[in-house]
Amino acid sequence: MAIGQPASTMVGFYKQAQSKLPATISLPSHWLKSYEDLVTKNATSVGQIESALRSLTYLIPGRFHEAELASETLHTSTLLLSLYHTSLLRRHFPSPSPPSPQTRYTSFYTARSRLYSNSAILLQTIQYTELLCEMFFKRRGGEKARWRLVVVLELIKAICRTAMFWVTGRRMVIEGLGTGERPVIPEQQQTPEDQQQQEKESSSASGTIAGASDQETTVQEERSKEWSMPRTGMKLPVLPTQGGESITDFLSKRVISADDIKVASQLVRKISSYQGQLAEMMWIARPVVYALAMQRLQGAAGSNRRSYDWRPWVLGFGMEVAARELGKKAVRERTVGGWRGMTGLEKEELTRRGWGMAWWGMRGAFYENITKSWIQGFADKLKGKPLLDIVGGIVEDYGYLWDEYYFSTSTM
């Protein structure tokens, strides 16, 4: 009996634990559901908190040169949470306005191809976390570990972009997850307590009745100005008056462009020429080549001289310029109408890449030999001046990030 009793006790404990196991496993899903309900019911407040946190991390980039890891952790967490909240709110509150061409295009391939979807998600996640990872690896493993991480991350991003390039049928790489902008949240339903409070406020503020009647009169006057068509009875809206929106803006909101009626896959044309495909692959490979050149220079030269060498900068900048010129040549030769024959989304992407080339002034030898002295001189001139001194301090804090970390000026 002494031996059988512990055995029966263990069997009882096992059955009890087995009966509670499904409830224990389902706890995380309940917590996630509760969190989603909290976000959807308080979407406006959540958006304000996200905006405040992002503004805080933008204003204190240097963080006393010691707490940058904690600040970047906060910034990265805010970005990832904002991305999750946007996708969550778009599921619960579909946007009444039509999506942008970029959202239509990326959503089409995200839903069509699992490889494209996974590549886009991985690419976006790396872009949000790369600077934080670089800070962590530099603090834990030094310069060699940091540059090894930089090369690996750039290689993974290049693989993701290459997969997106081939899945779309050799089209220009348009980054994005297809979530689009955060939708406009409708007004939340009021509780009885809120209605009672509003009734008290409205009864105490009797002067607002006159203002409301004036507003109703104004609305009725505007409606009376609408012209009704004699045959169909349809009403034409009133054109904007002086001081309001311009007639061009008024009409542009009611005009359907060619991109609005195109199939999502036709918003970006296939690159048929070898020159155009080579240009796109050069653009994809450029960050990997530049990172490898910087890593090799870091191992060959001393830490005090590695950033002053012009060879990696010339190599990376030359590849980007060559890719851009090859792409322009392919457009002139293979696209009917040249630049005018390109779609709006293609023009927008090329313009974005063109502005991204300005960041080469903040990288490598160009920054160390030219731009750095200009920025330091600008910050020194602002010192000791009211309010402008704060701007100078922020510029110096960002200078610390530009000096120490590769991904602080990365655009891809």
Side-chain angles (χ1 to χ4, degrees):
M1 294 295 294
I3 297 177
Q5 188 173 0
S8 61
T9 304
M10 291 297 295
V11 171
F13 284 153
Y14 174 76
K15 291 182 178 180
Q16 185 178 4
Q18 191 177 16
S19 62
K20 293 183 178 181
L21 184 60
T24 305
I25 294 177
S26 62
L27 281 179
S29 62
H30 288 307
W31 295 340
L32 182 60
K33 179 62 176 176
S34 301
Y35 180 76
E36 291 180 353
D37 293 339
L38 177 66
V39 172
T40 53
K41 292 179 181 178
N42 304 275
T44 304
S45 301
V46 171
Q48 293 175 351
I49 294 174
E50 292 175 1
S51 179
L53 290 176
R54 281 196 297 268
S55 301
L56 179 64
T57 55
Y58 287 146
L59 292 176
I60 48 175
R63 276 48 58 149
F64 312 107
H65 299 182
E66 291 295 335
E68 72 272 10
L69 188 62
S71 177
E72 188 61 28
T73 301
L74 175 63
H75 180 64
T76 303
S77 302
T78 304
L79 290 177
L80 293 175
L81 272 178
S82 178
L83 181 64
Y84 171 69
H85 292 163
T86 300
S87 62
L88 177 64
L89 293 175
R90 285 189 68 86
R91 292 199 304 266
H92 288 78
F93 305 103
S95 179
S97 59
S100 63
Q102 180 183 6
T103 303
R104 288 179 56 207
Y105 178 80
T106 53
S107 300
F108 174 78
Y109 281 104
T110 299
R112 183 179 181 181
S113 173
R114 189 173 183 85
L115 177 59
Y116 183 96
S117 176
N118 293 336
S119 300
I121 293 173
L122 180 58
L123 179 61
Q124 189 79 69
T125 305
I126 292 177
Q127 289 174 337
Y128 282 170
T129 60
E130 57 191 8
L131 182 56
L132 176 62
C133 295
E134 184 182 1
M135 290 179 177
F136 180 80
F137 271 71
K138 182 178 180 180
R139 179 167 296 188
R140 294 293 182 180
E143 288 293 326
K144 289 186 177 180
R146 177 173 79 97
W147 281 109
R148 193 178 297 115
L149 171 74
V150 168
V151 172
V152 170
L153 291 182
E154 291 290 10
L155 182 60
I156 295 175
K157 290 193 295 183
I159 294 174
C160 291
R161 291 190 178 99
T162 303
M164 296 165 68
F165 177 65
W166 289 104
V167 166
T168 57
R170 298 184 297 278
R171 288 178 169 87
M172 181 186 297
V173 177
I174 306 295
E175 298 179 8
L177 299 179
T179 55
E181 298 180 355
R182 184 166 294 188
V184 179
I185 308 302
E187 295 183 0
Q188 298 178 3
Q189 296 181 354
Q190 297 179 345
T191 60
E193 292 78 6
D194 296 335
Q195 294 178 355
Q196 293 178 2
Q197 182 67 22
Q198 286 188 356
E199 290 176 358
K200 292 180 181 179
E201 293 177 356
S202 61
S203 61
S204 61
S206 58
T208 58
I209 300 177
S213 61
D214 294 338
Q215 291 180 359
E216 292 178 358
T217 304
T218 304
V219 172
Q220 291 177 358
E221 290 178 356
E222 291 181 354
R223 289 181 177 177
S224 63
K225 295 179 181 178
E226 294 179 349
W227 184 73
S228 299
M229 296 182 181
R231 184 173 62 86
T232 61
M234 296 181 63
K235 294 183 178 181
L236 294 179
V238 183
L239 291 177
T241 58
Q242 294 182 354
E245 65 175 344
S246 63
I247 296 179
T248 304
D249 295 337
F250 176 82
L251 294 177
S252 63
K253 294 179 180 178
R254 291 161 174 81
V255 174
I256 298 178
S257 63
D259 290 342
D260 293 334
I261 60 176
K262 282 183 178 179
V263 181
S265 59
Q266 295 180 357
L267 292 173
V268 179
R269 299 170 301 103
K270 289 185 178 181
I271 303 177
S272 57
S273 65
Y274 291 110
Q275 286 183 345
Q277 296 177 17
L278 177 61
E280 193 70 10
M281 293 305 299
M282 286 179 63
W283 177 80
I284 292 173
R286 191 274 304 164
V288 182
V289 175
Y290 178 67
L292 285 171
M294 291 295 293
Q295 183 192 33
R296 183 173 181 180
L297 184 64
Q298 188 273 339
S303 59
N304 295 329
R305 295 184 56 192
R306 68 176 186 274
S307 297
Y308 294 89
D309 196 313
W310 282 91
R311 289 175 295 178
W313 189 91
V314 171
L315 178 61
F317 183 72
M319 284 188 64
E320 190 150 352
V321 172
R324 189 171 181 82
E325 292 302 319
L326 275 176
K328 288 182 178 180
K329 185 178 180 181
V331 169
R332 288 194 301 266
E333 295 179 354
R334 293 300 185 108
T335 303
V336 178
W339 176 265
R340 294 182 179 179
M342 300 181 67
T343 65
L345 186 55
E346 291 174 335
K347 294 178 182 178
E348 182 181 345
E349 176 63 19
L350 287 179
T351 303
R352 186 190 68 83
R353 294 183 186 183
W355 282 109
M357 292 182 65
W359 277 100
W360 280 104
M362 304 298 298
R363 298 187 189 126
F366 195 98
Y367 173 75
E368 293 291 342
N369 295 309
I370 300 177
T371 315
K372 186 177 181 178
S373 59
W374 293 352
I375 294 176
Q376 289 179 346
F378 174 75
D380 293 339
K381 289 181 180 180
L382 298 180
K383 288 183 178 180
K385 298 180 180 180
L387 298 179
L388 296 178
D389 191 14
I390 300 176
V391 178
I394 294 176
V395 172
E396 286 186 344
D397 289 340
Y398 272 104
Y400 172 74
L401 294 181
W402 298 330
D403 285 340
E404 299 295 328
Y405 298 107
Y406 168 89
F407 284 118
S408 61
T409 58
S410 177
T411 56
M412 292 179 61

